[in-house]
Amino acid sequence: MVEVRLRVNGTDEPLDIQPQVSLLDALREYLGLTGTKKGCDQGACGACTVLADGERINSCLALAVQYEGREITTIEGLDHPLQGAFVRHDGFQCGYCTSGQICSAVGMLAEHKDGMPSAVTKQASGGELSAAEIRERMSGNLCRCGAYNGIVGAIQEVAR
Amino acid sequence: MTQTLPRTHEPSVGKPVDRVDGTAKTTGAARFAAEYPYPGLAHAALVHATVSRGRITAIDTTEAAAIPGVITVLTHHNAPALKPPRRFNPLDLSTMASGTSVSYLNTDEVHWDGQPVAVVVAETLTAAREAAALVEVSYTTFASTVDFKAEEPNAEPQKGNLLMSGSAKKGDAEAALAKAPVRIEARFTTPPHHHNAIEPHATTAMWDGDRLTVHDGTQSIDWLRSHLALRFDVPVEGVRVLAPFVGGGFGGKANIWPGTILTVMAARATGRPVRLLLTREDVYRTVGGRTPSTQRVALGARTDGTLTALVHTSVTRTGRVGGNPEQVTSQSKHLYDAENILVRQNVVELDLISNTAMRAPGDSIGTASIDELAYELGMDPIELRMRNEPERNPIDGRRFANRKLREAYRLGAERFGWADRTPEPGSMRDGRWLVGMGVATAFHPAWQFLANVTVRLSVDGSVLVRCGFQEMGMGGATAQAQIAADALGVPVESVRVEYGDSSLPLSPAAGGSMQTASVASSVLTACEKLRRKLARLGRPGDDPAAALARAGVPSLEVSVGSDTRIGRLTGQVRFLSKLIRDQRRWMKAASGAQFCEVRVDPDTGETRVSRWTAAFDVGRVINAKTAVSQLRGGIVMGIGMALSEETLVDPRTGRIMNPGLGEYHVPVHADVPPIDVAYLDEPDPTMPLGLIGVGEVGITGAAAAIANAIHHATGRRIRELPITLDKLL
């Protein structure tokens, strides 16, 4: 067992866990923060996306012990215009991928603002965020209900 | 008499009302089945068989049991006894519930590669998973048949089911085909598919004596309740199933699969609350998917395009341990007014897990061959369809309850810009991309089943609708709130809907696109009853709450249907007879026209879907926002079906080789263009409020439209799904 002190949504959370426990399992099983979802546990679906110091990560591929001292934000700690926009644009159906989509979108907006390039924009300028750009940058977050149009609409509304 | 109460608010039916559970889903507050905390909760993990048929000769759990935190390792040596599943009985639809016929951990026999052969229960998830990997199982293997392609010639004629026949004919289609001046003949294949709801199947189970509480990601709360009572031999009254949120189903959570049974068993054996969230691989190994199919389509026509012969035959598979044969040729009975029709479905049983329903079973694959005939005739494919658009159901002359496919095509063609298409394959380009436009018909039958509801109005004006239906993202609670609000003349915000709990009045399972109509019918009846009672209490001009206040009544509740054993049986008999009567009288269905534009890279064969328009006849739309999302969602799944989705079964071993989202490719954001969805919004006179379910029709015809567009772009007819790059090179 390892002692680790996570900082999640502004609160210090001391944990005594096995070293192989993922950040995702630490959040869901040890801290009761079930808003972050487990869809594949293999980094393929994006449902477990959280923010670490504002950067989006797949928490299923992160070991909890690696994230001591980092500021973790989950959907429960988020208060962002995207949340309302997702409802208005019907950017979800079942809701299981939604926490990941929203956290991912928050991280993505910051990346774009910082000029991070993508396959669509070779030289990002932080300018206007096109639908094609959003689709490319959000492709790590699967939605099996197929609410992609609504998700893109919600992100576009907030990015404007 | 009921008209004395005014409807005081703007109708909400048809409006784009936001989902009632939107905030819960965007803040992380919505709890799914694996997210309920219980003191003393233990975690389960599955061990799968690695042979397709055989017998367990030894199972060594020593190492697994030695992992700190392991509570028990259940195998066929020490697992509690299960009662076998029951045979199908039309008066008790829960007899359709079991995914397979196997009594898990009650036998040393293995029936498919992936069958659970042990369950580890441990204090932590980590310990359970670690221990599961250490269980050593030895087998003697038996000969097995697992190769669909090799077994196809041994297929046998399939029986019909409750709702559809297995084969049908009109005239002599083969003879007419032989004489037809123009004909095409084609063979299509489709691979197995998996639903891949993003929430893996999950169960949390807790026993208290013979009383059982289960949180389960299920599409069939009532079936699950009855089935668990049966398998664990306890009174059904003591079993409660809760599923207020289900993270997608698409048919994969309609039947009851081993994970649920084994979690309940693990809780029984340990006396602890137990949780199991399947791994993605567990889902592939223990939950059935869509059958593969091989199809022959032959069309004969006169030179003016009139169809004289339509032959559609298919081979699909089930598991030897269960599964329903898929109705692959169903649409060919309803779409074209051919003078002679023959449809025949054959099926093979393999030593694989049962197949199961997946979004629009049978109907989803759609019709690409009419497009081939259109090219043979030199006709526009829409014109050819309209030339053969029937007045009555082609196979048996039944009347259509509603059929506005002509209008749907007209509307879709105009919005899409079909007139700009030049018919010659390869004739349209955008830079280096080959551009193609394709069209196909969407079609899905409409049904209704028994639903019981209660509706209560309180003097503060609030309304409570209660019905144990399922919500996996279809927006059922929002739609029923709108329906009740309009029926009572109250604002939609004042209606609360309780669902997702077996202690509520009986609802049918969510499947076959029939939940909304089934529940709506009873909600409307209940609201009408309530209005009649209110009219007796109030005065003309009173709104509903004022009528209650005037009479000094705090609340008034009415119910439709009875949840007693006798009440359910009577209801089921009444509904089955209505269903059969309806089926004889009308052909009811949703239909539509799917239009898409693709771009194909001439060098790599990469296909991108660049534009989509779909126009549907789905009766009256209850919620303009959620209905469109449902239809779009179906189209998105159809894009996956056309271009990327395929479950790979090793033909030697029967083992699924790509059990994960990294290897089974569902559409991602970048694969999905803006999807323009239009609907006619004309009520079907035979359905409650004129509505037709929209859960499945969206996927139908989508893959065919893409295949047709790819042909238009490249001149290549690819008849084997998915149309991957290699097939276009």
Side-chain angles (χ1 to χ4, degrees), chain B residues 11 29 118 239 390 401 598 606 619 661:
Chain B
V239 180
V598 301
E606 181 186 7
L661 291 164

Side-chain angles (χ1 to χ4, degrees), chain B residues 695-713:
Chain B
E696 292 168 287
V697 69
I699 193 175
T700 66
I706 292 173
N708 293 341
I710 290 173
H711 168 259
H712 182 228

Side-chain angles (χ1 to χ4, degrees), chain A residues 43-118:
Chain A
C45 77
C48 66
T49 307
V50 299
L51 298 163
D53 296 331
E55 194 181 315
R56 54 181 173 163
I57 60 164
N58 283 330
S59 64
C60 74
L61 296 184
L63 294 173
V65 292
Q66 292 177 294
Y67 282 80
E68 192 162 51
R70 307 278 297 273
E71 184 72 49
I72 306 298
T73 307
T74 70
I75 190 75
E76 290 94 339
L78 211 60
D79 182 9
H80 196 281
L82 271 170
Q83 288 161 293
F86 265 62
V87 178
R88 285 192 297 283
H89 288 264
D90 218 26
F92 55 88
Q93 290 190 37
C94 77
Y96 200 78
C97 75
T98 313
S99 305
Q101 299 278 0
I102 292 172
C103 287
S104 184
V106 171
M108 183 275 287
L109 289 173
E111 287 164 18
H112 183 258
K113 204 169 160 200
D114 291 349
M116 191 181 280
S118 79

Side-chain angles (χ1 to χ4, degrees), chain B residues 679-700:
Chain B
Y679 49 85
L680 299 168
D681 209 17
E682 288 178 38
D684 177 325
T686 68
M687 297 293 280
L689 277 184
L691 78 89
I692 300 176
V694 295
E696 292 168 287
V697 69
I699 193 175
T700 66

Side-chain angles (χ1 to χ4, degrees), chain B residues 272-350:
Chain B
R272 299 270 297 265
V274 175
R275 172 190 296 167
L276 172 62
L277 173 68
L278 295 191
T279 65
R280 186 54 58 180
E281 181 179 347
D282 288 341
V283 177
Y284 279 82
R285 304 249 178 266
T286 66
V287 178
R290 194 198 295 281
T291 175
S293 77
T294 303
Q295 302 173 50
R296 172 191 173 226
V297 181
L299 301 173
R302 298 200 188 92
T303 50
D304 68 353
T306 310
L307 278 175
T308 53
L310 188 169
V311 178
H312 189 179
T313 65
S314 67
V315 180
T316 62
R317 71 158 163 84
T318 61
R320 219 179 290 283
V321 292
N324 278 319
E326 189 152 326
Q327 302 284 339
V328 174
T329 67
S330 153
Q331 290 187 344
S332 294
K333 293 184 276 191
H334 312 300
L335 287 191
Y336 308 109
D337 200 10
E339 288 161 15
N340 300 277
I341 298 175
L342 172 67
V343 298
R344 192 175 59 230
Q345 301 179 138
N346 285 1
V347 64
V348 285
E349 280 188 357
L350 298 182

Side-chain angles (χ1 to χ4, degrees), chain B residues 90 92-94 96-97 162-163 218-226 243 246 253-255 447-453 466-472 474 476 480 499-502 504-523 560-563 568 571-572 575-576 579 687-688:
Chain B
D92 178 4
L93 295 181
S94 79
M96 289 163 69
L162 186 65
L163 300 170
T218 178
Q219 291 177 235
S220 45
I221 289 163
D222 182 65
W223 288 5
L224 178 54
R225 176 177 183 240
S226 307
V246 178
K253 295 173 180 171
N255 286 100
W447 295 298
Q448 261 180 271
F449 279 86
L450 177 67
N452 294 345
V453 306
R466 298 168 75 246
C467 176
F469 65 83
Q470 291 79 194
E471 170 55 33
M472 323 176 274
M474 309 87 86
Q480 300 304 337
Y499 58 93
D501 183 343
S502 66
L504 295 169
L506 171 76
S507 161
S513 300
M514 50 80 173
Q515 180 171 278
T516 304
S518 304
V519 177
S521 168
S522 299
V523 167
V560 168
S562 157
D563 282 296
R568 282 165 167 241
Q572 214 60 262
F575 242 82
L576 277 177
L579 180 75
M687 297 293 280

